[in-house]
Amino acid sequence: VPGERPAGPGKRIPEATVVRLPVYRRILSDLLAEDRQSVHSELLAELARVNASKVRKDLSLLGSFGTRGTGYDVAFLLTQIDRALGADDDWPVVVMGIGNLGTALVNSEGFSTRGFRVLALFDVDPGVVGRQLRGLTVRHIDTLAELTGLGGSAIGVVSTPAAAAQEVTDALVDIGVSAILNFAPHVLSVPPHVLLRHVDLATELQVLSFFQLRRRGETDARRPTTRGS
Amino acid sequence: VPGERPAGPGKRIPEATVVRLPVYRRILSDLLAEDRQSVHSELLAELARVNASKVRKDLSLLGSFGTRGTGYDVAFLLTQIDRALGADDDWPVVVMGIGNLGTALVNSEGFSTRGFRVLALFDVDPGVVGRQLRGLTVRHIDTLAELTGLGGSAIGVVSTPAAAAQEVTDALVDIGVSAILNFAPHVLSVPPHVLLRHVDLATELQVLSFFQLRRRGETDARRPTTRGS
DNA sequence: TCATGTGAAAACGTTCACAGCA
DNA sequence: TGCTGTGAACGTTTTCACATGA
């Protein structure tokens, strides 16, 4: 076999695993704060609310970092997860729309740490432009093109109102961001080379209500529900 | 077969489909706003950035609502998705933590519409308690127990800082909410009868950076990346 | 003729169960 | 002995391909 492994032991890490890694990461960092040395898959599983085989399968995809009979070294595992997630790299982030959501994002723990460097904040509201946030001055969106210093893989965050989202996204693509995280309730259109991820806050509520409805249908299958046809 | 179908044609709707339904919903509602009468799976698929068979499979799980040779009636399909998602029902929502994130959530379109009725807002900050938001007065978290009028299936939203999240969650469980949507960067512990969903804003960035890293590894497998071991 | 709805196949993800190692 | 790492079994989701019907 010819040698070409970007990182880890050459196995393809499925997306399902990737979204669990930050969960393990947080738990490990909490355990580390409590001075815990090692952890085994069963405990990690309980804390992450998944099952133990899943934890072991997930972690084994990053490499063989555990010790049989003992478990995993908390600190070491943490560094390995960070490496797999790219937290050792430097990811420039640009945030578009500094309303309540944008402000919450910029202030959120984990947004400023773990390899993300918030480079610049943009808005259109004259009441917001010029304001200071985490050491950065909010600039007007029209000056986006003046922004330099994005590496080849900058991330744009869209936290504008829905109506502005596509326009702002196009502008981000123009200045060369290679990934966009969208919080507007819209499916954005981007060229194929741009990675796109969409978080719709309302969707999450809808999913919850669906499962409540289903559960209700399971427990009392007879009684008419509130909806009246 | 004995008759027991809560809604739709008695098929179990997989979670993967459920999370796509709100996406279709939004697209349909946009199409409706443009006075479009009908739509076929190919167009819907393009707008949702998925493929056409997936759209057809997803929609067929709700029932046979399309017309062969023509497509789907936009307005009718919209009502059917709403019914499947429980948007015809009334879901009381309580929001804990009215900082930037909580405010953004309450103001967000789709939070106040589609069957969700924001009942009450809670915080601990004296500067926030008493403030008006969307016609509701923010109350102190200590008065949560006084809240009445939750039906059997209220939803609690946790948008407090990380440190308060578990405590606030316990209080929500105590007053009898049956589902919790958590925006704090923690895995919450809840009793088994409570539905739980977790949205971590920072996780989404980490997932994006993972895929950028992977793509980088695919395109130039030789060049050393920025991380220096 | 055109596009839905759906079985069947393929791909993917999870869980099981245990061999292998500290 | 205890716990990891992993093939093999299982379940779910996606995709294919086409019969069916307006």
Side-chain angles (χ1 to χ4, degrees):
Chain A
V1 250
E4 40 136 63
R5 50 194 60 143
K11 289 210 182 155
R12 186 193 164 84
I13 300 176
E15 170 158 358
T17 295
V18 175
V19 304
R20 282 189 296 267
L21 290 178
V23 176
Y24 303 145
R25 212 215 93 100
R26 163 156 301 268
I27 292 166
L28 290 168
S29 113
D30 288 353
L31 290 173
L32 198 65
E34 295 166 15
D35 280 322
R36 220 190 142 100
Q37 285 273 319
S38 74
V39 67
H40 52 262
S41 61
E42 196 117 17
L43 176 59
L44 204 41
E46 191 192 319
L47 296 172
R49 304 181 77 85
V50 298
N51 77 25
S53 342
K54 205 180 267 182
V55 170
R56 291 202 298 278
K57 214 356 99 77
D58 285 343
L59 297 181
S60 77
L61 291 167
L62 310 184
S64 291
F65 300 138
T67 312
R68 289 164 205 240
T70 306
Y72 303 87
D73 180 85
V74 174
F76 180 68
L77 188 52
L78 200 53
T79 65
Q80 293 307 313
I81 290 179
D82 277 349
R83 196 171 55 76
L85 286 172
D88 296 346
D89 269 27
D90 187 60
W91 302 100
V93 174
V94 175
V95 183
M96 309 297 282
I98 314 299
N100 282 304
L101 181 57
T103 305
L105 294 173
V106 175
N107 282 329
S108 79
E109 173 209 348
F111 234 68
S112 36
T113 54
R114 299 190 224 152
F116 302 113
R117 193 175 78 251
V118 181
L119 256 199
L121 314 175
F122 292 91
D123 207 298
V124 280
D125 185 341
V128 172
V129 173
R131 198 186 284 175
Q132 290 281 123
L133 187 58
R134 297 242 154 189
L136 293 168
T137 304
V138 179
R139 317 188 202 175
H140 193 281
I141 281 189
D142 291 347
T143 68
L144 177 64
E146 296 165 17
L147 186 68
T148 57
L150 307 172
S153 45
I155 300 175
V157 175
V158 176
S159 46
T160 61
Q166 183 62 56
E167 193 185 354
V168 151
T169 299
D170 294 343
L172 284 169
V173 171
D174 284 346
I175 64 160
V177 305
S178 56
I180 288 177
L181 181 55
N182 174 35
F183 289 95
H186 245 295
V187 184
L188 296 178
S189 149
V190 294
H193 69 274
V194 175
L195 281 173
L196 185 60
R197 226 175 140 81
H198 184 189
V199 181
D200 183 10
L201 306 173
T203 290
E204 304 297 330
L205 267 191
Q206 293 184 290
V207 172
L208 268 186
S209 59
F210 174 87
F211 284 113
Q212 287 208 349
L213 198 60
R214 163 127 99 207
R215 183 179 283 192
R216 200 190 278 172
E218 279 163 4
T219 50
D220 55 43
R222 271 137 289 146
R223 204 140 25 107
T225 65
T226 13
R227 93 194 86 89
S229 162
Chain B
V1 250
E4 37 136 67
R5 52 193 60 143
K11 290 213 179 151
R12 187 194 163 83
I13 300 177
E15 170 157 359
T17 295
V18 175
V19 304
R20 283 188 296 266
L21 290 178
V23 176
Y24 303 146
R25 211 215 93 99
R26 163 155 301 267
I27 292 166
L28 290 168
S29 112
D30 289 353
L31 290 174
L32 197 65
E34 295 167 15
D35 280 322
R36 218 189 144 99
Q37 284 272 318
S38 74
V39 67
H40 51 263
S41 60
E42 196 116 15
L43 177 59
L44 205 41
E46 192 193 319
L47 296 172
R49 305 180 76 87
V50 298
N51 77 26
S53 345
K54 204 181 270 180
V55 170
R56 290 202 299 275
K57 218 350 107 64
D58 285 342
L59 297 181
S60 76
L61 291 166
L62 310 184
S64 292
F65 300 139
T67 311
R68 289 167 204 237
T70 307
Y72 303 87
D73 180 87
V74 173
F76 181 67
L77 189 53
L78 199 53
T79 66
Q80 292 307 312
I81 290 179
D82 276 349
R83 195 170 57 75
L85 286 172
D88 296 347
D89 269 29
D90 188 60
W91 303 99
V93 174
V94 176
V95 182
M96 310 296 281
I98 313 299
N100 281 304
L101 181 57
T103 305
L105 292 174
V106 174
N107 283 328
S108 80
E109 173 209 349
F111 235 66
S112 36
T113 53
R114 300 190 223 152
F116 303 111
R117 193 175 77 252
V118 181
L119 256 197
L121 314 175
F122 293 91
D123 206 300
V124 281
D125 184 341
V128 172
V129 173
R131 198 185 287 177
Q132 290 281 123
L133 188 58
R134 296 243 153 187
L136 293 166
T137 304
V138 179
R139 318 188 202 175
H140 194 279
I141 281 189
D142 291 346
T143 68
L144 178 64
E146 296 165 17
L147 185 68
T148 58
L150 305 172
S153 45
I155 300 175
V157 174
V158 176
S159 46
T160 61
Q166 183 63 55
E167 194 184 353
V168 151
T169 299
D170 295 343
L172 284 169
V173 170
D174 285 346
I175 64 161
V177 305
S178 56
I180 288 178
L181 181 55
N182 174 34
F183 289 95
H186 245 293
V187 184
L188 297 178
S189 148
V190 293
H193 69 273
V194 175
L195 281 173
L196 185 59
R197 224 173 144 82
H198 183 190
V199 181
D200 183 10
L201 305 174
T203 290
E204 303 297 328
L205 266 190
Q206 292 184 291
V207 172
L208 266 185
S209 58
F210 174 88
F211 284 113
Q212 287 207 350
L213 199 58
R214 164 127 101 206
R215 181 179 283 193
R216 201 189 280 171
E218 279 164 2
T219 49
D220 54 43
R222 271 137 289 144
R223 202 131 35 99
T225 65
T226 13
R227 93 194 87 88
S229 164

